[in-house]
Amino acid sequence: MIVMTMFGGSARLQWGGNWSRLAAMNATKASRTGSGASAASASTYHHGNLREVLITEGLALAAEAGLDAVSIREVARRAGVSPGAPFRHFPDKVALMTAVAEEAMARFRAEIVAALGRETSGDPIRRIRAIGKAFLDWARRNPTHFEIISSRRAIDFAGSASLGASNAAIQAQMVSLLEEAAQCGLLRVNDPHLIQITGRALVYGLARMLIDGQFPSWGVTEDEAEDVMERSLDLFLAGLLKAPASADPGRS
Amino acid sequence: MIVMTMFGGSARLQWGGNWSRLAAMNATKASRTGSGASAASASTYHHGNLREVLITEGLALAAEAGLDAVSIREVARRAGVSPGAPFRHFPDKVALMTAVAEEAMARFRAEIVAALGRETSGDPIRRIRAIGKAFLDWARRNPTHFEIISSRRAIDFAGSASLGASNAAIQAQMVSLLEEAAQCGLLRVNDPHLIQITGRALVYGLARMLIDGQFPSWGVTEDEAEDVMERSLDLFLAGLLKAPASADPGRS
DNA sequence: ACCTGAACACCGTTCAAGT
DNA sequence: ACCTGAACACCGTTCAAGT
């Protein structure tokens, strides 16, 4: 099957042959599982699964060696393909990193949803605190993934509907909890948007101070970091409350 | 004058000729001033001033094109020297960027000192607020310089006594103001260290949200950013106070 | 269709050779 | 002393050629 296509004004030949059957046989590849992949590894000129493997390897390489260590060539090497192969699936490095960021963001969002599920209390302040804590925990455990989706260098955030939607979903959750808290008369200030931005800036700043290695110069050791971040969040939340605040709103 | 030196166990020849007179003639170079530099620009094999020029050009290139656009080769190009020349003055790129960071940090600190000088009030809360505001203003006006000294990628923070000292000086200023506020009975919580870290995390988070381009996805336009950051700071400060806080502690 | 492999213009870094 | 210029191993990206 031969197809003629017009693309950017120039005619190109495209072969409509179906490689997907062959690809399915090789879907697992010889990656980390190593579960009997020896049979399929021979003579697979077409990878079949490359797009996903590139994203997975990008994520893994970032986690292992840091954001600046992620290169298309190294990702291609780990996927077992030539340096030019990734460009068949992503127009440039930014596009690959954006796809990596989308996967990281999906995991981040799932973690927040899970944390909210664990916080069975109906108290909006406790639920807000659970989101903040989940944010901090995830950043601490996945520093480079956090950096990819938050620093936004190396990705095209605005160009990704997926990233925008995930971000908006997390925000909406928080706004609704803040409005609930306001209606219950819990808040000292009636400005949910400002509170939201301030809270976000606080947890973002804490996470970045950790990741950027600033805590040592503030007298906080690695062991203390988790505790300090948590108490910092509580200090802020207590300051929002109308009633003479208890020292630890998370344990009331 | 020929000198033998032992360095790392191997003998090396050093020429003790004096190039500094020649260098002094060329000290201004044909940089931004352009004040009658035409006469000195011919046949200056030895730059004479290169170390400082490299730092200045690094700072300027960072401000113009962003941190990732700073390359040793481009800095060398702007300084009018060959790609290898910078390595005579800095062992590697990290060392050059650390020197750039030291200059950026010195300017940052000067701005904070100036802001405190302008805040003539003796009220520790107002002085704390002035520091926070100066932090935010400087970050907004010098985004890349801010990123260099705060993200700390590309530099060796721990290896620079100058950076550590500047940082410690800024912290000490803040701690003493917080202790003063505590002694005046102004604070709801008696934990200056935790308050300091929380406040720093807040302004750092705000500055980074701005620089990382996150405000648009939080419904804040570029025009509104300065105002939002200021109100956010006030929201936090009000939450620290023991007395039923006024809405705007900066205008009391 | 999807991938290879050579090529190009970059970059950090080194090192002999120049002045 | 300090700088040049060629070299090396990287990188992102392109493009003909392979299957």
Side-chain angles (χ1 to χ4, degrees):
Chain A
M1 172 176 164
I2 302 287
V3 192
M4 288 285 283
T5 330
M6 297 304 292
F7 185 70
S10 67
R12 300 215 301 195
L13 280 176
Q14 291 193 333
W15 176 33
N18 186 354
W19 288 95
S20 48
R21 275 164 295 147
L22 202 163
M25 297 175 61
N26 194 30
T28 51
K29 191 113 197 333
S31 53
R32 67 209 65 247
T33 64
S35 53
S38 55
S41 63
S43 73
T44 54
Y45 190 89
H46 291 75
H47 191 286
N49 203 21
L50 187 54
R51 198 193 133 91
E52 284 168 46
V53 172
L54 291 171
I55 294 171
T56 307
E57 292 296 346
L59 232 13
L61 178 55
E64 290 166 25
L67 178 49
D68 291 332
V70 179
S71 73
I72 284 200
R73 293 182 97 107
E74 179 60 24
V75 169
R77 233 170 264 134
R78 293 170 68 127
V81 295
S82 73
F87 291 91
R88 243 342 104 165
H89 299 274
F90 301 99
D92 53 25
K93 188 182 182 181
V94 168
L96 169 58
M97 295 309 291
T98 302
V100 168
E102 286 169 355
E103 175 61 27
M105 177 71 99
R107 296 184 187 182
F108 173 49
R109 198 181 155 190
E111 201 113 337
I112 286 187
V113 168
L116 265 182
R118 263 179 264 118
E119 177 57 70
T120 52
S121 158
D123 177 10
I125 300 296
R126 292 190 67 159
R127 296 182 72 77
I128 287 166
R129 184 183 188 277
I131 293 179
K133 187 73 171 70
F135 184 101
L136 293 172
D137 286 345
W138 190 75
R140 188 164 34 82
R141 287 201 273 256
N142 306 274
T144 305
H145 293 177
F146 174 78
E147 194 183 0
I148 290 172
I149 64 176
S150 62
S151 95
R152 300 189 185 179
R153 69 185 160 102
I155 72 171
D156 177 19
F157 189 93
S160 164
S162 157
L163 288 173
S166 293
N167 208 49
I170 295 171
Q171 282 182 41
Q173 180 80 264
M174 181 59 91
V175 165
S176 101
L177 286 169
L178 279 169
E179 282 169 355
E180 187 186 338
Q183 278 168 0
C184 296
L186 297 170
L187 301 179
R188 188 175 54 74
V189 174
N190 185 24
D191 190 341
H193 191 224
L194 186 64
I195 292 175
Q196 182 186 208
I197 287 174
T198 306
R200 167 62 154 217
L202 174 65
V203 293
Y204 186 41
L206 287 171
R208 272 222 152 274
M209 282 176 76
L210 178 70
I211 285 160
D212 295 340
Q214 295 189 9
F215 275 144
S217 38
W218 290 83
V220 177
T221 68
E222 209 174 338
D223 291 344
E224 299 167 325
E226 179 178 0
D227 184 56
V228 165
M229 293 193 292
E230 190 165 348
R231 289 194 293 130
S232 188
L233 176 58
D234 285 335
L235 175 69
F236 169 70
L237 289 175
L240 292 178
L241 301 181
K242 187 181 280 176
S246 70
D248 185 354
R251 295 195 159 210
S252 61
Chain B
M1 170 176 165
I2 301 289
V3 192
M4 287 287 282
T5 328
M6 296 305 291
F7 185 69
S10 66
R12 301 216 299 196
L13 279 176
Q14 293 191 333
W15 177 32
N18 187 354
W19 289 96
S20 47
R21 276 163 296 147
L22 202 164
M25 296 176 61
N26 194 31
T28 52
K29 192 116 194 330
S31 53
R32 64 210 66 245
T33 64
S35 54
S38 56
S41 63
S43 72
T44 55
Y45 190 89
H46 290 74
H47 192 288
N49 202 22
L50 187 54
R51 198 192 134 92
E52 284 169 46
V53 171
L54 291 172
I55 294 172
T56 306
E57 293 295 345
L59 231 15
L61 178 55
E64 290 166 26
L67 179 49
D68 291 332
V70 179
S71 73
I72 284 200
R73 292 182 99 107
E74 179 60 25
V75 169
R77 235 170 264 134
R78 293 170 69 127
V81 295
S82 74
F87 291 90
R88 248 334 111 165
H89 299 273
F90 301 99
D92 53 24
K93 187 182 181 182
V94 168
L96 169 57
M97 294 310 291
T98 303
V100 168
E102 286 169 354
E103 175 61 27
M105 177 71 101
R107 296 183 188 184
F108 173 49
R109 196 179 157 192
E111 200 114 336
I112 286 186
V113 169
L116 264 182
R118 266 179 262 119
E119 177 57 72
T120 51
S121 159
D123 176 10
I125 300 295
R126 293 191 66 160
R127 294 182 74 78
I128 286 167
R129 184 182 189 278
I131 293 179
K133 187 73 172 70
F135 184 101
L136 294 173
D137 287 344
W138 190 75
R140 187 162 36 81
R141 289 200 272 257
N142 306 275
T144 304
H145 293 177
F146 174 78
E147 195 183 359
I148 290 172
I149 63 177
S150 61
S151 95
R152 299 187 185 181
R153 69 186 160 101
I155 72 172
D156 177 18
F157 190 93
S160 163
S162 157
L163 287 173
S166 293
N167 207 48
I170 295 171
Q171 282 183 42
Q173 180 79 263
M174 181 60 91
V175 165
S176 102
L177 286 169
L178 279 169
E179 281 169 353
E180 187 185 339
Q183 279 168 1
C184 296
L186 298 171
L187 302 180
R188 188 175 52 76
V189 175
N190 186 24
D191 189 340
H193 192 224
L194 186 63
I195 292 176
Q196 182 187 207
I197 287 174
T198 306
R200 166 63 147 206
L202 174 65
V203 293
Y204 186 41
L206 288 171
R208 273 222 153 272
M209 283 177 75
L210 177 71
I211 285 159
D212 295 341
Q214 295 188 10
F215 275 145
S217 38
W218 290 83
V220 177
T221 68
E222 208 173 338
D223 291 344
E224 299 166 329
E226 179 177 0
D227 184 56
V228 165
M229 294 193 292
E230 190 165 349
R231 290 193 292 131
S232 187
L233 176 58
D234 284 336
L235 175 70
F236 169 70
L237 290 175
L240 292 178
L241 300 181
K242 184 181 281 175
S246 71
D248 184 354
R251 295 195 159 210
S252 61

